[in-house]
Amino acid sequence: HLVQVAVLWVWSSKRLLVESADDAIKDAVKLFGATGIESYHTLIGALKKYSNQILPPLSERMHQLMAKTDQANFRIGLWLVLAVDGSRIDACRTLPNELRFCKAKNNKKKAKKKKKNKRGRTAKKRKPVSKKKHYDPQPVGPQVWLTLLWHVGQRLPWSWKIGPSYSSERSHLLEMIERLELPENTLICGDAGFVGYDFWNAIDGEGHRFLVRVGSNCTFLKQLGRIREHDGIVYCWPKEKQRRKQPPLMLRLLRFHDGRGEVYLVTNELSNRKLSDRQASQIYRRRWGVEVQFRSLKQTYDRSKLLGRTPEVVQQELTWSLVG
């Protein structure tokens, strides 16, 4: 009953939280009979108490149904492809939301060194003369950081992690990988922000494959192996890891043209038979759909600003919106 009312709550055409809850409760009574949930406060209290117990089996069941109802698009070739990306969503400017989602200000001022002239005296600093008035920019309000794992084949959310506005999407992804039991032959596809030796090594250590775009900030080595290597094999081995005698990461570098310029991708799947260059380029092009998912959530689904006045309500509002 709680799941039924929660889904109808985020489906409601009413924008305010209390009005949409009342609307959902009426619909739930018509569709399913008595629900035991009589008000918005009862609904929010129950979601705060039971969501952590409900969501894991609910997500597992939804994943089973995704595989059962649309087998043709569940995998792309051998791979279950999950795109990953992050985005910020505005929240109400209340003190609890600011304390939870905004980064704390650092009030420590750096001590300025005073310049001395040739005689050893402190030189006086002249104030710049300006007739224009200077206005301090308004601080950004509370924002929630949403990191989304998105099923590329079926264009649906798979899993997500919610945090404050200064969260790291790479840390969010690693937490999700450790928490979730991803199916065999899962391929995680990310943009240029998901790079780094430690990050890639953590994904590889969990037994998963990744396909990530790289830019000029990534440096790779070639021909480090003692065996004969085919074209495209490179190594990620920063100098710091060399000094610590950590092993290099063997990767495969792919290159293709997207119509505007050259695109470079790396993957830890070294077999061209399992993941061909052509298939990799098609998968990366389809990764763009996760950006459309964010737009659909914010614009079409009208979640560009979350209305909860406390972090707990914001969490439930966004979580069940994604479930819906």
Side-chain angles (χ1 to χ4, degrees):
H1 287 161
L2 180 58
V3 173
Q4 292 166 354
V5 177
V7 172
L8 291 171
W9 174 50
V10 297
W11 279 358
S12 174
S13 58
K14 307 290 185 182
R15 184 65 184 106
L16 298 180
L17 297 180
V18 177
E19 291 180 356
S20 57
D22 293 338
D23 190 39
I25 293 168
K26 292 178 182 178
D27 290 340
V29 171
K30 290 179 183 178
L31 293 169
F32 311 111
T35 64
I37 300 171
E38 300 176 353
S39 67
Y40 164 77
H41 295 288
T42 307
L43 173 63
I44 289 297
L47 290 178
K48 290 179 184 177
K49 186 174 182 180
Y50 296 112
S51 283
N52 290 337
Q53 300 176 36
I54 292 173
L55 287 171
L58 178 62
S59 298
E60 183 180 356
R61 179 59 179 154
M62 291 170 71
H63 296 161
Q64 292 172 356
L65 291 174
M66 289 168 68
K68 182 179 178 181
T69 57
D70 189 9
Q71 294 181 0
N73 292 314
F74 189 70
R75 289 183 180 271
I76 301 175
L78 179 67
W79 305 102
L80 170 71
V81 183
L82 299 177
V84 59
D85 207 349
S87 182
R88 290 185 176 91
I89 302 176
D90 293 334
C92 284
R93 188 186 284 272
T94 62
L95 182 58
N97 285 347
E98 287 187 350
L99 292 175
R100 174 67 179 92
F101 298 121
C102 295
K103 192 171 185 178
K105 294 181 180 179
N106 186 6
N107 295 322
K108 295 181 180 179
K109 296 182 178 179
K110 295 181 180 180
K112 295 182 179 179
K113 294 182 179 180
K114 298 181 178 180
K115 295 182 179 180
K116 294 185 178 181
N117 55 22
K118 294 180 180 179
R119 297 180 181 179
R121 299 176 182 176
T122 303
K124 293 182 179 180
K125 189 176 181 181
R126 294 182 180 180
K127 295 181 179 180
V129 179
S130 176
K131 295 181 180 180
K132 294 182 179 180
K133 294 182 179 180
H134 296 278
Y135 298 95
D136 294 329
Q138 292 294 323
V140 177
Q143 290 183 320
V144 180
W145 183 270
L146 171 65
T147 303
L148 180 65
L149 269 176
W150 184 76
H151 193 284
V152 173
Q154 297 183 351
R155 306 175 66 81
L156 288 171
W158 181 271
S159 185
W160 55 85
K161 178 78 176 176
I162 299 170
S165 59
Y166 51 90
S167 299
S168 166
E169 55 189 0
R170 290 189 292 182
S171 298
H172 275 184
L173 176 60
L174 293 180
E175 289 178 26
M176 285 190 283
I177 289 175
E178 291 178 1
R179 173 172 52 88
L180 300 171
E181 293 184 5
L182 295 176
E184 188 179 358
N185 295 323
T186 296
L187 180 69
I188 298 170
C189 186
D191 211 344
F194 295 90
V195 297
Y197 178 95
D198 293 328
F199 177 71
W200 289 336
N201 196 34
I203 297 178
D204 191 69
E206 293 290 333
H208 303 304
R209 296 292 179 259
F210 59 80
L211 179 69
V212 177
R213 182 172 182 170
V214 292
S216 57
N217 59 328
C218 296
T219 303
F220 300 102
L221 304 175
K222 292 183 178 181
Q223 298 179 352
L224 290 183
R226 296 181 179 178
I227 60 174
R228 187 174 181 180
E229 299 170 356
H230 55 82
D231 292 338
I233 295 296
V234 295
Y235 296 87
C236 178
W237 202 18
K239 292 183 179 179
E240 178 187 355
K241 307 303 177 184
Q242 296 179 31
R243 287 194 294 267
R244 294 181 180 180
K245 297 184 178 180
Q246 293 181 252
L249 285 177
M250 184 184 290
L251 304 171
R252 195 166 124 231
L253 181 64
L254 313 174
R255 182 180 67 178
F256 67 94
H257 201 282
D258 66 348
R260 293 178 296 178
E262 295 288 338
V263 175
Y264 293 87
L265 307 174
V266 292
T267 177
N268 59 338
E269 178 51 63
L270 306 181
S271 173
N272 191 54
R273 289 182 295 178
K274 292 183 178 180
L275 180 65
S276 66
D277 293 8
R278 182 178 180 182
Q279 188 181 49
S281 66
Q282 292 174 349
I283 287 173
Y284 184 77
R285 287 188 177 96
R286 294 177 66 178
R287 187 213 68 88
W288 173 252
V290 69
E291 305 285 353
V292 182
Q293 180 74 79
F294 282 124
R295 184 185 180 281
S296 299
L297 175 67
K298 295 178 182 180
Q299 303 299 326
T300 309
Y301 207 44
D302 200 14
R303 294 298 187 273
S304 59
K305 184 173 183 179
L306 302 170
L307 302 182
R309 302 186 64 81
T310 64
E312 293 81 9
V313 176
V314 169
Q315 179 90 14
Q316 299 304 326
E317 182 185 358
L318 180 54
T319 295
W320 287 97
S321 294
L322 290 164
V323 172

